[in-house]
Amino acid sequence: MQTTVMGRIVGYDDRGEGTPVVLIHGYPLNRMIWEAQWEGLADHARIIAPDLRGFGESEMVAGIPTEITTYADDVRELLDALGISEPAIIAGLSMGGYVALAYLRRYPEHVAALILANTKATADSLEGKAGRDKSITLAQTKGAAGIAEGMLPKVLSPKTYTSNPELVAQVNRIMQSATVPGIIGALTAMRDRPDSTGTLLEFSQSTLIIAGADDQLMSAADQENMKQAARNSTLVTIPDAGHLSPMEQPEAFNKAVAEFLRSMG
Ligand code: MLT
């Protein structure tokens, strides 16, 4: 569905009842990566999945520089528009995790718990920042298709990539639907985001960290760093999952989240 928030069209899904769980997608994706979660988890909680600006059905705002906090503010404004003022469980995959941590920094009183999937708390290295600039040039010259071509083999585990052509095609479609301004905004925001390890160190509420055993983009050390920083955290590593664990192993992903929700009562 769509709504207008602060004059901007925002695509989102809102299913189920109870504690709000906000699912924030990664780059260059959209809320469709959570299809199996809103179907599998809406019996346990109220699942809200927004499209970040420039992705899915959410409008990009031209001429405004995008920072990681821009997306966090967008999430807060959507929740306000939906009348959700109580603390929510904020969940993010990869770039969605960077946004979740920015949201925690800005709106700590609105966070009941965190779910950090296939992500990391650290900032980009100098090499990583240079890679973002190359990707911006690629997006400008080859569009979303050029970005998707390079990323597709990296976001899925080698096993998923060779054995699940339907999922490969679905992820490709999602990536190719991203807008170039949306891609450039996200690359800029990720390049310039700060290290969030200190934010996690200050967080005392429950944190679920979900890793893919075969994630080619996030290392085991990234996961261990978050586990050490978040004092009340649990790390679940999903076998046979790459970077897109909620799509590659939806049952295992949903089980980990449902158990986490139960543990919080
Ligand atoms: C993502 O999946 O959101 C991105 O690959 C994260 C990143 O590039 O740092």
Side-chain angles (χ1 to χ4, degrees):
M1 59 185 99
Q2 282 182 325
T3 186
T4 301
V5 184
M6 312 288 274
R8 195 174 58 84
I9 297 168
V10 176
Y12 70 104
D13 261 270
D14 182 0
R15 305 193 189 196
E17 286 172 11
T19 309
V21 179
V22 182
L23 302 177
I24 308 171
H25 65 78
Y27 157 90
L29 303 159
N30 62 47
R31 71 183 197 269
M32 294 310 292
I33 69 159
W34 300 117
E35 214 175 345
Q37 279 63 54
W38 68 59
E39 280 169 9
L41 293 170
D43 286 346
H44 300 267
R46 179 173 177 187
I47 307 293
I48 297 153
D51 281 330
L52 297 178
R53 56 172 64 198
F55 297 95
E57 294 182 302
S58 286
E59 206 180 333
M60 188 67 184
V61 182
I64 296 182
T66 317
E67 297 174 13
I68 211 73
T69 49
T70 312
Y71 301 111
D73 292 346
D74 288 348
V75 169
R76 186 61 245 147
E77 284 162 9
L78 173 64
L79 296 187
D80 276 340
L82 297 177
I84 297 173
S85 54
E86 73 264 39
I89 298 174
I90 307 296
L93 177 116
S94 198
M95 178 178 123
Y98 312 157
V99 175
L101 289 165
Y103 185 93
L104 173 61
R105 229 174 352 263
R106 271 169 107 73
Y107 307 105
E109 70 284 9
H110 285 293
V111 181
L114 279 181
I115 302 175
L116 299 170
N118 303 87
T119 191
K120 60 183 168 194
T122 49
D124 273 7
S125 62
L126 284 180
E127 194 189 350
K129 286 179 196 289
R132 302 294 186 198
D133 291 333
K134 275 195 196 147
S135 297
I136 289 173
T137 306
L138 180 65
Q140 282 161 338
T141 52
K142 300 249 167 83
I147 295 285
E149 191 186 352
M151 284 199 74
L152 206 47
K154 294 189 211 145
V155 294
L156 298 166
S157 75
K159 187 170 167 192
T160 306
Y161 192 67
T162 49
S163 66
N164 193 341
E166 275 172 30
L167 185 56
V168 175
Q170 189 189 354
V171 174
N172 193 21
R173 269 195 306 275
I174 290 175
M175 285 185 172
Q176 297 221 23
S177 74
T179 66
V180 170
I183 290 173
I184 293 174
L187 287 166
T188 309
M190 289 194 285
R191 181 193 63 197
D192 299 340
R193 76 186 191 282
D195 189 310
S196 292
T197 309
T199 309
L200 267 187
L201 277 168
E202 283 171 18
F203 188 57
S204 58
Q205 313 278 77
S206 305
T207 302
L208 172 63
I209 299 164
I210 303 182
D214 304 322
D215 191 334
Q216 302 177 71
L217 298 180
M218 302 292 164
S219 68
D222 292 327
Q223 312 309 308
E224 201 45 45
N225 170 44
M226 290 193 293
K227 170 93 185 74
Q228 295 297 325
R231 73 192 84 144
N232 188 3
S233 61
T234 311
L235 169 61
V236 174
T237 301
I238 301 186
D240 291 325
H243 190 57
L244 299 185
S245 59
M247 299 182 90
E248 295 182 67
Q249 298 299 337
E251 281 174 21
F253 188 97
N254 289 356
K255 183 166 171 272
V257 174
E259 275 171 15
F260 180 66
L261 296 175
R262 257 195 303 276
S263 75
M264 293 181 57

